[in-house]
Amino acid sequence: MKKYVLALDQGTTSSRTIVFDKKGRIVSKAQFEFEQIYPNSGWVEHNPYEILDSQLRSLSVALRNGKINPKEIAAIGITNQRETTILWDKETGKPVYNAIVWQCRRTAQICEKLKAEGLDDYVKEHTGLLIDAYFSATKIKWILDNVPEARTLAAEGKLLFGTVETWLIWNLTNKQVHITDYSNAARTMLFDIEKLCWDEHLCKTLGIPMSILPEVKESSSVYGYVSEDVAGLKELAGIPISGAIGDQQAALFGQACFNAGQAKNTYGTGCFLLMNTGDKRPHSKNNLIEGIAWGINGKVIYDLEGSAFNAGSVIKWLRDELRMISEPSECDFLAESVRDSNGVYLVPAFTGLGAPYWDMYARGCIVGLTRGANRAHFARAVLESIAYQVADLCEAMSKDSDIIMSELRVDGGASVSNILLQIQANLSSTKVNRPKLVETTALGAAYMAGLAVGFWKDFDEIEKVREVDRVFVPLIDNNTREEMLKGWHKAVERSKEWEEK
């Protein structure tokens, strides 16, 4: 009897495996961090082999720790850091360059050139995206233009491109399956989200051979099976890999946001706010991204998305670079020890500003410092900086959807912080709903895999699994909120004054 579904959760700073049972409960998990590579200012890379090795290691350890018999595993689902770009030789399996991470800004000048050529409207109309270094397309172009071996292999029909789930599936199936799903394809800036195919004009404009692109499939589908030739995974041979979905869409699904108008925010390395808009493509007038949430049962569901590039990474910066805290919980303790931030505002535009500003040249800044500002005020300003960014996204999303957000479902590592979520409820003027299980990204991938093989019957069965831990309600008046937001927006303007074109 099949008792479990495995979720591989490949994130920006670590790889995790979580084993779920039929009631959506965690049975076992394991996690391993891997190196962040910063070759130049604004550049971010990962070693693709480290991504793969850390993911496989976490899988083995999760099974061992949980004393799980592989024969009891029904399926494997994968969720991944999106946009991160890997190109590799399909014969040797060797990457031609490090993975260029979604945070990397090296292709900003390529984006400026595309804008100067008047490509903005075409990109928006066909892909739902804005031209930005964030997405995969210009990263692919950079590798092709700067790694001689890449063009040669492409000309010989030996080069493959993939985002991280594509790389993992290709390796798990021992070079047999080269696929992606709708949610990930829609983040490349090369995929037509209405025609549901790769865009020939964009590929030609960017000099990207369409032969390197993976086949696009539904997010819940049997893509292939674990190969017995994958080192260390012989006991898993034959288990179906039947779910693939980008991390933020996975969290939307894991939060059971199945109906149009439901929204979630994930507090991870960045902040990602998504709203389900149903089977009709949305059209944003407030610089939000129009994308595909998932494809399942022959139907595509669309979403609106707003991203803040730095969230949990700001707390990590406070710990690792500034050494103001020794662990994340200390940030909460300090923030709770003061009533407010004493006028201190931090804009964490370390890699530019995401929605609704989309300023790739903005840089982080701290304003409002006085002699009375101390470490506790700074810690509170860090948490507020995360909540302010999400408040901006909520406002833009409400305008685009004509839906007043009455509830925001939340997850991700930083969502364990009560003080952060209370600040969020205050600044967004909405209820903030945290589930008992905040590992909704991995859960969403597990659901996708399980639905494909009949482990879960339907959406109704999944919806009953979600349990609420706590709901935070706004505790400040409108005047206070408006004054705080006014100060924040002034600080944002300061960060945008830094130009490095």
Side-chain angles (χ1 to χ4, degrees), residues 311-328 330-332 334 346 350 366 375-376 378-383:
S313 58
V314 192
I315 300 171
K316 195 172 181 181
W317 170 73
L318 194 69
R319 181 193 68 185
D320 297 345
E321 274 71 45
L322 297 192
R323 299 184 184 275
M324 282 193 180
I325 58 173
S326 56
E327 56 185 59
E330 193 178 348
C331 186
D332 285 4
L334 289 168
L346 165 68
F350 303 143
I366 302 163
R375 191 165 65 118
F378 204 96
R380 192 170 182 104
V382 162
L383 296 185

Side-chain angles (χ1 to χ4, degrees), residues 95-389:
V96 299
Y97 190 79
N98 274 341
I100 300 182
V101 181
W102 59 273
Q103 297 164 313
C104 188
R105 310 307 294 170
R106 78 184 65 191
T107 61
Q109 291 295 335
I110 298 175
C111 293
E112 289 299 331
K113 187 171 182 291
L114 294 175
K115 291 176 184 177
E117 292 170 358
L119 210 61
D120 304 67
D121 290 342
Y122 186 92
V123 168
K124 182 68 173 173
E125 179 186 349
H126 290 268
T127 72
L129 307 177
L130 306 170
I131 295 176
D132 194 86
Y134 186 23
F135 306 110
S136 309
T138 57
K139 301 179 195 302
I140 300 172
K141 177 176 172 56
W142 189 93
I143 293 174
L144 289 169
D145 290 347
N146 289 275
V147 180
E149 179 189 0
R151 283 283 180 202
T152 303
L153 288 171
E156 295 173 351
K158 297 178 182 176
L159 190 70
L160 297 179
F161 152 73
T163 40
V164 173
E165 86 297 342
T166 303
W167 167 247
L168 292 177
I169 293 170
W170 193 80
N171 279 284
L172 285 168
T173 59
N174 193 31
K175 308 177 185 178
Q176 296 302 307
V177 179
H178 183 225
I179 68 100
T180 186
D181 88 299
Y182 287 123
S183 71
N184 279 294
R187 305 292 297 187
T188 60
M189 211 176 85
L190 294 172
F191 192 73
D192 190 308
I193 63 172
E194 290 192 58
K195 294 179 181 176
L196 303 180
C197 64
W198 297 113
D199 189 284
E200 189 172 351
H201 176 66
L202 285 173
C203 289
K204 187 175 180 181
T205 300
L206 287 160
I208 296 172
M210 296 185 76
S211 61
I212 75 173
L213 303 175
E215 181 183 357
V216 185
K217 294 197 170 188
E218 289 192 349
S219 312
S220 180
S221 177
V222 177
Y223 313 119
Y225 302 86
V226 177
S227 171
E228 63 180 11
D229 298 318
V230 181
L233 297 184
K234 194 167 185 178
E235 71 277 13
L236 296 178
I239 293 176
I241 302 167
S242 54
I245 184 169
D247 53 7
Q248 302 314 318
Q249 291 94 335
L252 188 70
F253 199 83
Q255 287 273 30
C257 293
F258 301 144
N259 302 312
Q262 290 185 300
K264 72 88 203 174
N265 183 63
T266 295
Y267 299 88
T269 301
C271 263
F272 300 90
L273 182 65
L274 270 75
M275 177 184 281
N276 180 331
T277 61
D279 57 5
K280 289 186 173 54
R281 175 188 171 177
H283 293 278
S284 175
K285 295 174 182 163
N286 291 281
N287 290 328
L288 296 177
I289 291 167
E290 305 154 15
I292 296 176
W294 51 74
I296 190 169
N297 299 329
K299 189 176 181 180
V300 164
I301 297 298
Y302 291 93
D303 63 45
L304 272 174
E305 176 171 346
S307 308
F309 299 148
N310 288 281
S313 58
V314 192
I315 300 171
K316 195 172 181 181
W317 170 73
L318 194 69
R319 181 193 68 185
D320 297 345
E321 274 71 45
L322 297 192
R323 299 184 184 275
M324 282 193 180
I325 58 173
S326 56
E327 56 185 59
S329 60
E330 193 178 348
C331 186
D332 285 4
F333 174 77
L334 289 168
E336 288 174 328
S337 72
V338 290
R339 189 176 59 181
D340 54 39
S341 64
N342 197 16
V344 177
Y345 288 89
L346 165 68
V347 183
F350 303 143
T351 49
L353 287 168
Y357 304 103
W358 289 107
D359 187 332
M360 67 181 80
Y361 297 105
R363 287 296 177 265
C365 70
I366 302 163
V367 300
L369 287 174
T370 61
R371 182 62 183 82
N374 60 34
R375 191 165 65 118
H377 296 128
F378 204 96
R380 192 170 182 104
V382 162
L383 296 185
E384 288 181 351
S385 76
I386 298 170
Y388 278 126
Q389 292 177 96

Side-chain angles (χ1 to χ4, degrees), residues 22-24 256 258 447 456-468:
K22 200 168 178 65
K23 293 191 176 180
F258 301 144
Y447 284 154
W456 286 290
K457 181 184 175 184
D458 52 28
F459 286 11
D460 288 341
E461 184 178 357
I462 288 172
E463 199 158 11
K464 291 171 185 173
V465 170
R466 189 180 189 274
E467 294 182 273
V468 176

Side-chain angles (χ1 to χ4, degrees), residues 30-42:
Q31 177 174 352
F32 292 97
E33 292 189 357
F34 53 88
E35 184 184 6
Q36 305 296 301
I37 304 167
Y38 306 104
N40 291 302
S41 176

